[in-house]
Amino acid sequence: MGGFQLLPFYEGVRELGLVHHLIEDERSGAFAADAYARMTGRPGTCDATLGPGATNLVTGLVESLNGGIPLVAVVGDAHRSYATRNMTQETQQIDILRPAVKEIVRVEDGTRIPELVRRAFAVATAGRPGPVVIVLPEDVSHGEFEFDEDDFRADETSCAIPARRTRPDADAVMRAADLLAAAERPLILAGGGVHLSRAYDPLLRLCERHGIPVAHTLSGKGAVPCVHPLSVGVFGRYSRIANDLILESDCLLVVGCKLGEIATKRYTLPLPSTPIIHLDVSAEEIGRWTRVDAGLWGDAGCGLADLEAALGAHPATSRDAYGVEVGARKALWASETRELSASDERPIVMPRLIAELRAAIPDDGVLVADGGFASHWAGLLYDATRSGRTFVADRGFASIGYGLPGSIGAQLAHPGGPVVGLTGDGGLTMTAGGLEVARRIDAPITLVVVNNAASGYVKALQHAVYGAGAYQSSDLVELDFGAVARAFGCHGARVDDPADLSAALAEAIAHPGPSVVDVAVTRDPAEMLPGLDSRAAQPIKAGDRPA
């Protein structure tokens, strides 16, 4: 969203014929750029004017910082001759933005713009990726500078991630190989770093050649196909069978995962006695809070390939019985959940909705899950049928409101396949202006609204912690978001009967422009979450410390 400070930037965009999309809110612009970067592996870009434009970016930038997503934001700033004189909309925005990004690049000399832009992209893509802000003071922005053609050269290694791959220490790799070779029940825990590294092939080879099951975080879904016999689903706060396997494992290989609160079920997983190999591009994440027996600092793809090669020096280990056991457990879990996935209950239950989404979205499609309880249901039940980013969730910050702008960004990155967003009624009301954006740019996205007339996650937690009826500031007015979509000129539908879900989703996905399918789901707070939240099971009291 433009302002006077960046008018020359917009004029340059117009003269050069670049594609620029006006977004209803800078936070949404950062979210859309974040989703674009997740899908393409190339830095997403966005811009904001000074003051409220810059400060509105913060939530989106932290999402990218915590998620390891490359992003470059151009931000206007006050004229340097008048700064600190209470210029219109002026604030200490650099101090506000600094903890939300990897680096701030301030342009003090206009002749250095090409150099500093290259610097921004290099930092955004190097090591663990993240967001970088280019700050452009008004007088520099409106200045005129002469450049040679060579000044505009691009460093190709900074145009996509991983920018430069690093390999773990060879001795550490051998220690890790010794641990894995000796294990009878090893398990791989795959995080979002597998996607950042594009480490799908070496991960699948290691998994298949050595019979090692793979569990994933919400961000790591698609590290291996969820339909693979050795894929055991999500682990952590909610789990199919993975948490039990973690507790029974005699060696864990953690790849591109920070082992944060959700992945560890509030730091109760894994057991302190379980040997851990941790492979991560961020050295500071290895052993952050738990003991690590072999720390591998480096790129996930390189580290997995080196580890697989090192295992070749060990005698082959048969884990056929382990694989059979895993398959039996998966089959039992599927049989126990099949009834809910086919339920005709009204209001509609979440397992039925997720099952219908899985049936409606083709293999080349993408599901974008907003923060909140909808993402946990999708993380638990939705199967990615191929390796790669077919499931996008804003787990860096888990901010509500990502669903609509994230779907727009994902669709711009993935025009060849359908993009479906899953958001809540609270999430859409935060960013409903994005429907105008989607219509204006004619983005063929389908937004599925989980409508429970509540801030569902909060209401469910209040129910779990304080009991039935103890709800405060978690109820919303019941809205028909199909009608809201039609008011914006988009296709809109409302579904109350589960029998109508399939046809409504098919019609929406086939529509050439933006669509909204509003789905009335359960209002019972006891049924809003996939299971008992670990925070409700172990509420933190004053003075408590994590185990």
Side-chain angles (χ1 to χ4, degrees):
M1 188 165 287
F4 179 74
Q5 291 73 20
L6 289 185
L7 284 185
F9 172 80
Y10 280 74
E11 178 62 9
V13 165
R14 186 191 66 81
E15 286 190 353
L16 292 171
L18 299 178
V19 179
H20 183 284
H21 297 301
L22 173 65
I23 306 295
E24 89 286 351
D25 181 272
E26 290 83 3
R27 178 183 66 151
S28 292
F31 282 158
D34 176 277
Y36 175 91
R38 290 175 193 258
M39 292 298 301
T40 63
R42 299 177 60 189
T45 55
C46 58
D47 62 84
T49 188
L50 91 165
T55 57
N56 280 348
L57 284 175
V58 171
T59 298
L61 293 175
V62 175
E63 170 61 45
S64 299
L65 181 69
N66 290 359
I69 307 303
L71 189 147
V72 174
V74 179
V75 174
D77 204 354
H79 194 298
R80 290 176 297 176
S81 295
Y82 312 125
T84 73
R85 292 182 179 177
N86 292 321
M87 293 280 287
T88 302
Q89 297 186 316
E90 184 182 13
T91 184
Q92 298 300 315
Q93 62 184 36
I94 289 181
D95 292 338
I96 296 170
L97 293 170
R98 195 178 306 280
V101 296
K102 284 184 73 175
E103 187 167 317
I104 290 179
V105 177
R106 180 175 167 89
V107 182
E108 298 287 355
D109 181 352
T111 64
R112 295 183 62 191
I113 286 175
E115 169 203 345
L116 296 176
V117 169
R118 281 193 296 272
R119 168 68 181 173
F121 277 81
V123 173
T125 56
R128 187 172 192 268
V132 174
V133 167
I134 300 175
V135 176
L136 200 58
E138 176 190 314
D139 51 308
V140 177
S141 178
H142 285 260
E144 294 187 3
F145 310 96
E146 295 290 335
F147 298 101
D148 295 327
E149 183 176 349
D150 184 59
D151 289 331
F152 296 101
R153 69 187 184 279
D155 183 348
E156 293 299 326
T157 61
S158 301
C159 294
I161 58 171
R164 292 181 173 85
R165 295 184 185 268
T166 57
R167 311 198 85 92
D169 176 74
D171 290 339
V173 170
M174 292 306 299
R175 287 198 303 274
D178 291 341
L179 289 169
L180 269 183
E184 296 179 357
R185 303 179 64 86
L187 184 67
I188 297 172
L189 306 182
V194 174
H195 292 297
L196 302 179
S197 171
R198 303 297 195 266
Y200 311 119
D201 290 343
L203 175 59
L204 193 59
R205 282 197 303 270
L206 183 67
C207 156
E208 291 180 337
R209 290 180 182 176
H210 301 279
I212 306 176
V214 179
H216 60 78
T217 63
L218 287 172
S219 297
K221 185 180 286 289
V224 298
C226 296
V227 294
H228 192 283
L230 287 172
S231 172
V232 296
V234 71
F235 69 94
R237 180 169 292 167
Y238 305 112
S239 162
R240 299 183 181 184
I241 67 169
N243 285 0
D244 289 339
L245 292 176
I246 291 173
L247 293 173
E248 298 164 6
S249 175
D250 56 359
C251 184
L252 296 172
L253 170 57
V254 182
V255 183
C257 172
K258 294 180 290 185
L259 291 178
E261 177 195 357
I262 292 178
T264 62
K265 204 172 181 180
R266 185 152 269 192
Y267 314 103
T268 59
L269 297 173
L271 295 174
S273 58
T274 306
I276 296 175
I277 304 162
H278 196 167
L279 168 59
D280 205 286
V281 75
S282 297
E284 63 272 20
E285 296 298 341
I286 299 172
R288 178 188 281 268
W289 70 270
T290 188
R291 176 185 52 78
V292 169
D293 297 84
L296 307 182
W297 175 29
D299 173 77
C302 291
L304 288 169
D306 290 353
L307 185 54
E308 210 280 322
L311 282 169
H314 292 79
T317 302
S318 174
R319 299 190 177 98
D320 292 343
Y322 185 31
V324 170
E325 177 193 333
V326 166
R329 289 192 182 193
K330 290 176 62 175
L332 177 61
W333 181 88
S335 69
E336 291 174 343
T337 58
R338 192 170 293 121
E339 183 177 348
L340 278 175
S341 297
S343 172
D344 291 327
E345 287 183 50
R346 298 178 64 174
I348 297 166
V349 298
M350 286 301 297
R352 176 65 185 269
L353 174 57
I354 302 300
E356 295 286 356
L357 282 171
R358 179 59 279 174
I361 300 174
D363 287 345
D364 65 342
V366 174
L367 179 64
V368 179
D370 206 331
F373 88 113
S375 67
H376 288 279
W377 277 107
L380 177 64
L381 299 177
Y382 186 82
D383 282 337
T385 56
R386 58 186 175 89
S387 296
R389 288 271 199 193
T390 61
F391 178 81
V392 176
D394 63 326
R395 303 314 303 174
F397 213 26
S399 175
I400 306 297
Y402 185 93
L404 176 51
S407 297
I408 292 173
Q411 194 279 324
L412 292 172
H414 187 65
V419 172
V420 177
L422 184 66
T423 188
D425 41 356
L428 182 53
T429 53
M430 285 186 179
T431 56
L435 292 174
E436 184 275 335
V437 178
R439 180 188 172 192
R440 172 163 33 87
I441 69 177
D442 202 26
I445 61 170
T446 296
L447 193 67
V448 177
V449 183
V450 178
N451 191 337
N452 55 10
S455 178
Y457 215 132
V458 174
K459 190 170 185 177
L461 287 173
Q462 289 173 341
H463 180 89
V465 175
Y466 301 111
Y471 312 125
Q472 173 61 46
S473 303
S474 56
D475 289 309
L476 301 174
V477 172
E478 178 88 23
L479 296 176
D480 181 345
F481 289 99
V484 170
R486 293 192 294 273
F488 275 93
C490 305
H491 171 76
R494 166 85 173 188
V495 179
D496 298 289
D497 189 335
D500 298 330
L501 272 173
S502 179
L505 291 172
E507 182 181 7
I509 291 173
H511 183 72
S515 300
V516 172
V517 180
D518 186 35
V519 182
V521 300
T522 182
R523 268 61 176 163
D524 183 352
E527 297 181 0
M528 286 182 179
L529 300 182
L532 186 62
D533 188 287
S534 55
R535 292 169 295 181
Q538 297 175 309
I540 295 294
K541 303 180 182 66
D544 279 0
R545 299 180 65 182

